[in-house]
Amino acid sequence: MKFKAVFLVTSIIALALLVGGSANAAISAPHSLTDAQPLAEAARARQNQVVVGFTLINAETNQELGPLTDGTVINLNDYANTKFNIRADVNPDSGGSVKFELNDKTRIDNNNPYALFGDDNGNYNGWRPKVGDYRLTATPYSKNRGRGDAGQSLSISFSVVRGNSQPTPPPASNQSVVQFVLVNADTNQDISPLGNGDVINLASLGTQNINVRADTNPSIVGSVHLELSGPESRSSTENLAPYALFGDTTGDYWAWTPAAGPYSLTAIPYTDGNGGGQAGASLSISFEVTNDNSGPTPTPKPTSTPAPTPAPTDPPSSSVPLCADHDPTAWHGLYDAAKNCHYSHEHKQDPNAVNDIFGPVGALYTGQEISYPWQTFSAAGTENEMKHGGYGWLVSRDMGCSSAFADGCLTDFRVQYHAIMAAAGAVTRFHSFWLEARGCLESNPSRCGIIRTGGWADYGRLEIDGQTVALPNDPSGSVSGRRIHYYNTGSSNYGTWYGNNAIALVAIQTADMWGLVNPSNPSELHLFCPDFRCRNNNSTMQAHAIGVVIPSAWDNDGDGYVTYRGYTDRYGKIVNGCTQVGLDCVPLEVIDMPVGTYQYRDDTHGLGDTGRGDFDVSPSGEYWITYPN
């Protein structure tokens, strides 16, 4: 964002002048080798940092209680309601930061002492732990916010109990991790065992989408904790078999396309869920990932048939027939290459294009790609029965982290919306949606999380030519939702709808309205092309603005991050007691999302995020799309 850059540069120049130097002094380089040597030595020291131990702190007195080592058992009865903290001891301490991972929670401390739960110049914040088993990892970094070069990490397991005396450590569990298996995430078939020292050459596997499974003895255990380090890192705990490093949905493996380089992987079985109970025998390996067509054959050799090459999706240059059958729960474009036929409507972008980020479409509800159990309805029927053509998906990925309107950005998302940009849709206040998004803090783009949510978006009032057109179902009071159309002013081809519920913002925009919306009679259907033989068919659509809010009220432990799985009603309010997905039991899943407000916005009217906004692929002179679409 340019205005931020200008403000930052101006501030730097002003600061330099205040301390008695010129503006140039703020950006000047070292003047000699002797000036540069201390900087280089400091940089080397930060690269060689090691977490040498953990210290348990009494947060009431800020006094050390002793070292916290692997296998330590903390008996709460020995400490009479004491609040604790845990310090990571780093050698050498040459600045930077320490990233803590405690079970499924992550926190970064930028200042010494490096305290898991934070401190104010050595006045430690308190933590009253729950009884249970914990896994703690600390990694030093050369720069603040977990950036720069990573030093040597330290991991331990410890337990918190409440008893009259220090218990005897339980006997070792008979559970064990016996092997890792490389899996083709496209076909869900095993490729081969993955052993220590193996090389995975993606170029020769027949797929770039893989996963890694940990096999245990016995085959079903309480849970498995997996730790991956290397060019990419991941820490996860799997409670259900298969125990997949990058997750799965009942055996449908989520995809990982790894960066090249050396990796280390450890898996630890536990007798209870969520890494609880007794730890069994772990397994650790090192392996390497390459992507070299000319390189040696990789150690793992495929044992299953690679996924077939997809059929071409380019539209034909001449006429093809209308498709004879149609599944109202499946996504499709206008042209079906496999059947060599066309439909009379299309559902915009393919939501499966970001399965590697979000997993299979519909995994939290019915698994269908079009519609969901909370669709809107009327006396005439449901949304999917009466206005199926109005469903569309808008998908974006790998966008830069920049937002002028919020604390953070949405770098990736897929949103299913319902909208018919004509009179039938314009007079309707509520429309359904489903949103999955990855959000990152703009102040620290490496801190990201994922949210999945849906329900009904409230599109407020109808506005034509800048004037509100009163309708019977209008909201009372001030609302942010608007359906914006033009009749006498502006361009009648454009329509922009701003809708939201308690969690999400969904604003969509078309550049080829089906027809005018008459302020004198907004329910009257007026098509620019009653015979459909023109391009005004609602096939041009973009996500104008997509946003979510992660409120601080969801941050139960006060660490600034939220992980939550539950349900909301159709309006985005959290509800309890849901046992299955329904109208007012809409899935809500938040995974390690920092507290804040996040937004993506595209002001390139009607062109979509990368200029791919028009989804009408009818050949020249033909018009495949019919109302409604």
Side-chain angles (χ1 to χ4, degrees):
M1 296 181 298
K2 292 183 178 179
F3 71 89
K4 286 196 172 184
V6 172
F7 176 79
L8 181 59
V9 171
T10 305
S11 300
I12 292 173
I13 294 173
L15 179 61
L17 294 174
L18 283 172
V19 298
S22 67
N24 291 334
I27 56 173
S28 60
H31 297 292
S32 66
L33 181 61
T34 55
D35 293 326
Q37 279 178 332
L39 298 176
E41 290 169 1
R44 284 192 295 271
R46 287 193 293 269
Q47 291 174 0
N48 295 325
Q49 286 180 309
V50 177
V51 176
V52 295
F54 295 104
T55 301
L56 187 65
I57 302 293
N58 182 333
E60 308 283 351
T61 64
N62 297 319
Q63 299 299 306
E64 298 180 4
L65 295 173
L68 185 65
T69 58
D70 195 51
T72 295
V73 178
I74 302 171
N75 189 339
L76 296 178
N77 282 5
D78 294 338
Y79 293 99
N81 294 321
T82 297
K83 292 183 179 180
F84 302 94
N85 207 320
I86 298 172
R87 186 184 72 219
D89 300 317
V90 178
N91 184 37
D93 176 26
S94 49
S97 58
V98 171
K99 177 183 177 182
F100 292 94
E101 297 172 86
L102 182 67
N103 289 357
D104 61 346
K105 297 291 186 181
T106 300
R107 184 184 181 278
I108 297 175
D109 197 337
N110 295 314
N111 298 295
N112 189 11
Y114 302 108
L116 172 59
F117 293 95
D119 70 288
D120 184 6
N121 294 321
N123 185 20
Y124 290 90
N125 298 330
W127 170 51
R128 185 170 284 122
K130 297 178 181 179
V131 171
D133 297 306
Y134 295 86
R135 178 74 174 172
L136 174 62
T137 299
T139 306
Y141 287 86
S142 60
K143 297 181 180 180
N144 65 3
R145 299 178 180 175
R147 300 175 300 163
D149 298 310
Q152 183 175 324
S153 64
L154 177 64
S155 297
I156 64 169
S157 296
F158 64 95
S159 301
V160 176
V161 301
R162 187 183 296 277
N164 293 325
S165 61
Q166 191 78 353
T168 302
S173 165
N174 292 325
Q175 298 176 346
S176 61
V177 176
V178 295
Q179 70 171 352
F180 294 106
V181 176
L182 188 65
V183 177
N184 182 326
D186 292 329
T187 64
N188 297 317
Q189 299 297 310
D190 293 354
I191 296 175
S192 73
L194 182 61
N196 192 48
D198 282 352
V199 177
I200 303 171
N201 188 347
L202 296 176
S204 60
L205 288 184
T207 180
Q208 299 277 305
N209 300 320
I210 63 173
N211 206 323
V212 178
R213 185 182 72 241
D215 288 344
T216 60
N217 183 25
S219 60
I220 301 298
V221 297
S223 58
V224 174
H225 181 76
L226 300 108
E227 290 274 353
L228 178 74
S229 61
E232 300 177 40
S233 60
R234 180 175 175 84
S235 176
S236 65
T237 300
E238 290 286 298
N239 292 317
L240 299 173
Y243 306 110
L245 174 61
F246 284 86
D248 70 287
T249 302
T250 60
D252 186 1
Y253 289 88
W254 295 13
W256 173 44
T257 303
Y263 290 86
S264 295
L265 175 61
T266 298
I268 307 169
Y270 289 88
T271 54
D272 295 337
N274 299 315
Q278 302 175 36
S282 63
L283 179 64
S284 297
I285 64 169
S286 296
F287 62 94
E288 184 178 357
V289 174
T290 65
N291 198 358
D292 184 2
N293 284 310
S294 62
T297 302
T299 304
K301 296 180 176 60
T303 58
S304 61
T305 304
T309 302
T313 57
D314 291 336
S317 57
S318 59
S319 182
V320 297
L322 183 69
C323 294
D325 57 354
H326 174 257
D327 180 354
T329 67
W331 176 88
H332 60 77
L334 188 57
Y335 172 62
D336 190 323
K339 299 177 181 179
N340 194 31
C341 61
H342 74 82
Y343 297 97
S344 61
H345 62 281
E346 42 74 33
H347 297 298
K348 307 304 184 283
Q349 292 173 292
D350 185 354
N352 297 288
V354 287
N355 282 0
D356 58 318
I357 299 173
F358 301 114
V361 177
L364 293 188
Y365 43 99
T366 56
Q368 64 193 60
E369 295 171 327
I370 295 297
S371 196
Y372 17 61
W374 55 90
Q375 61 179 305
T376 64
F377 54 89
S378 67
T382 65
E383 199 172 48
N384 201 18
E385 291 170 339
M386 306 304 296
K387 298 181 287 186
H388 166 79
Y391 284 108
W393 281 96
L394 296 173
V395 180
S396 286
R397 64 180 299 149
D398 302 328
M399 297 175 289
C401 189
S402 176
S403 175
F405 306 95
D407 304 315
C409 56
L410 297 181
T411 60
D412 313 86
F413 66 80
R414 63 183 174 198
V415 58
Q416 183 178 182
Y417 66 91
H418 188 271
I420 297 174
M421 292 295 204
V427 298
T428 304
R429 175 180 167 188
F430 290 98
H431 296 264
S432 64
F433 77 95
W434 173 252
L435 170 65
E436 296 175 77
R438 176 158 59 186
C440 304
L441 289 175
E442 189 172 3
S443 60
N444 184 4
S446 66
R447 289 306 306 137
C448 305
I450 286 177
I451 182 170
R452 299 178 173 92
T453 187
W456 289 10
D458 184 351
Y459 286 92
R461 298 185 176 90
L462 174 61
E463 182 181 294
I464 301 177
D465 295 337
Q467 302 296 317
T468 298
V469 177
L471 294 171
N473 63 345
D474 278 352
S476 59
S478 176
V479 295
S480 58
R482 296 184 297 165
R483 288 107 66 200
I484 301 173
H485 294 275
Y486 301 97
Y487 188 75
N488 293 312
T489 66
S491 173
S492 56
N493 285 328
Y494 286 96
T496 306
W497 292 3
Y498 292 89
N500 60 272
N501 69 3
I503 297 173
L505 161 71
V506 179
I508 54 177
Q509 188 174 68
T510 186
D512 55 1
M513 286 272 298
W514 275 107
L516 297 171
V517 181
N518 186 344
S520 300
N521 186 6
S523 298
E524 178 188 15
L525 180 60
H526 176 95
L527 299 178
F528 288 122
C529 305
D531 61 357
F532 312 134
R533 294 187 62 80
C534 72
R535 299 301 184 184
N536 280 86
N537 52 25
N538 202 31
S539 63
T540 299
M541 187 68 72
Q542 71 160 341
H544 178 56
I546 305 295
V548 296
V549 59
I550 307 296
S552 58
W554 294 358
D555 181 17
N556 293 327
D557 57 8
D559 67 350
Y561 298 89
V562 173
T563 294
Y564 177 87
R565 289 176 177 87
Y567 296 89
T568 70
D569 64 15
R570 73 192 88 169
Y571 306 113
K573 301 292 187 181
I574 290 178
V575 295
N576 298 313
C578 290
T579 58
Q580 63 182 13
V581 177
L583 177 62
D584 284 313
C585 289
V586 181
L588 170 64
E589 183 175 64
V590 185
I591 302 174
D592 201 27
M593 192 90 163
V595 170
T597 303
Y598 300 80
Q599 190 175 115
Y600 158 87
R601 186 178 176 102
D602 183 352
D603 288 305
T604 308
H605 296 289
L607 295 180
D609 67 289
T610 58
R612 296 172 299 161
D614 193 348
F615 302 95
D616 185 353
V617 295
S618 305
S620 177
E622 297 190 26
Y623 303 93
W624 290 349
I625 295 176
T626 61
Y627 180 86
N629 177 53

